[in-house]
Amino acid sequence: MNLTDNCGRPLLNLRISITQRCNNRCAYCHREGEVQRANHSAEKMSVEEIVRIGRVAISLGISRIKLTGGEPLMRNDLPEIVAGIAAVPGLRDLSLTTNGLLFGNGLAKKLHDSGLKRVNISLPSLNAETYKKLTGGRIEDALAGVQAAIEADFCPVKLNMVILNNINVNDIPDMIKYAGGRGVVLQLIELDPINVSGNYYTAHHRSLDGIEAMLKEKSITIEQRPFMHNRLIYHLPNATVEVVKPIENNDFCMHCTRLRVTSDGKLKPCLMRNDNLTDILTPIRQGASDEELKELFLKANQLREPYNKKD
Ligand code: SAM
C-alpha cells in the first residue's frame, strides 16, 4: 500500500527531526525548516514517541526513514531510537544525516549494530579555516567522523556539501577527489533560502547548472532517482557525485516523496512551509490509537503539494 497525494505523488519517505540541539553553528543552516524557539535545550519527543510515529508511518507504506535535527548524535538515546525503528517489520531504509563530529569512540559502530545502514555527513569544505568559519567546528573531528563511518561499514556514506558562492565553490575538485579516494558519494546541494537572511542568500546562492555541465562532460554514466526529486547521480571515472537542485525546480518538487516530522512532533509536508503542519505528538500524549494516528498521516498527506509547480 502507498499513499498518494492530490498531485499523484507517492509518499515513501519520512524525515524525522529528533532534536533541535546542535554542536555546530552552520552559517547556512535551514534547521529543517523549523522556526527557531527560544528554549530548544530539551528533547521534545521521547524514544517511544519517535518509534511509534515511525511504526505508524511504516504501516502506511512510508518505509524509508531518515533521522535528522539539530544534530542527532547529540542524543544519548540515539541507539535506542535506531534499534526501535530498525525492528519494525516493513522498514526498507533507515538513514541518518549528521555532522559526524561525535562518531568517534565507537558510536558509529554502535549505531550500525543497532540497525542503521547508511549515513550522510555534512562536510562543506576540507579546508580547516573554511570549515571552521562555516560550521564553528574542527575539520579534524569531521574527518575522523567520516573515517569512523567508513570503518563502521555504513553503505553508502554520503558527504553533504552545500555549495556557497564565494566560499567553497573552488573546493569542489578537492572534495570529488577526497570522496572518490574513499569510496564515498559526494552530494552537492544547492543553498535553500530557509532560515538564512536574504542578504546571505543573495551573496552565497549559486546555481549548480554550471557545475552539473562539468560533471556531465566527465561522466561515464548518469543515473536518475525518480522517487527522490528526480536527482541525477553522475558516475565519474573515480567518483560518484549526486546533485540536489531544489530552487525553482518544478521537476524536483513533482518528484518529492517526503513528509517531515518536526522536533516537536508535527507532521510537516514541505521544508519551505510552516502553515500546514499537523500536530501528532499531542494526540499521542492524549492516548490516540494507531488508527487515529494513521488518520493524521492521511490528513498530512492530503496537505502535500509541490512548492514549485507549473502554472
Ligand atoms: N546536524 C546534521 C547535519 O549537519 O547534517 C543534520 C541537520 S542538517 C539541517 C541536515 C542537512 O541539511 C545537512 O545535510 C545540511 O547540509 C543540509 N542543509 C542545511 N542547511 C541547508 C540549506 N540552507 N540549504 C540546503 N541544505 C542545507
Side-chain angles (χ1 to χ4, degrees), residues 187-207:
Q187 191 158 248
L188 304 180
I189 305 175
E190 186 177 9
L191 178 68
D192 261 314
I194 314 297
N195 285 331
V196 294
S197 73
N199 284 349
Y200 189 90
Y201 185 73
T202 306
H204 299 302
H205 173 261
R206 165 84 171 232
S207 158

Side-chain angles (χ1 to χ4, degrees), residues 92-104:
R92 288 182 165 202
D93 182 44
L94 178 59
S95 63
L96 174 81
T97 178
T98 172
N99 58 36
L101 298 181
L102 299 176
F103 258 158

Side-chain angles (χ1 to χ4, degrees), residues 15 22 26 28-32 68-72 97-99 120-122 160-162 189-194 196:
R15 190 170 172 103
C22 192
C26 298
Y28 54 83
C29 187
H30 59 31
R31 301 196 304 272
E32 300 290 347
T68 181
E71 174 47 49
T97 178
T98 172
N99 58 36
N120 291 48
I121 301 179
S122 293
N160 285 6
M161 181 184 189
V162 175
I189 305 175
E190 186 177 9
L191 178 68
D192 261 314
I194 314 297
V196 294

Side-chain angles (χ1 to χ4, degrees), residues 175-188:
M175 286 289 287
I176 293 178
K177 209 167 158 195
Y178 174 83
R182 283 157 186 79
V184 305
V185 176
L186 177 63
Q187 191 158 248
L188 304 180

Side-chain angles (χ1 to χ4, degrees), residues 254-280:
M254 279 314 294
H255 291 83
C256 178
T257 58
R258 271 183 185 166
L259 183 67
R260 294 164 179 271
V261 183
T262 62
S263 60
D264 58 350
K266 301 207 168 61
L267 301 178
K268 179 169 163 54
C270 179
L271 170 69
M272 309 291 284
R273 291 175 57 179
N274 280 307
D275 61 346
N276 59 356
L277 310 184
T278 302
D279 186 1
I280 190 166

Side-chain angles (χ1 to χ4, degrees), residues 7 16 30-32 54 59 86 111 122 130 181 220 238 249 305:
C7 296
I16 310 178
H30 59 31
R31 301 196 304 272
E32 300 290 347
S59 75
L111 291 171
S122 293
T130 310
I220 301 166
N238 297 313
N249 185 346
E305 59 175 329

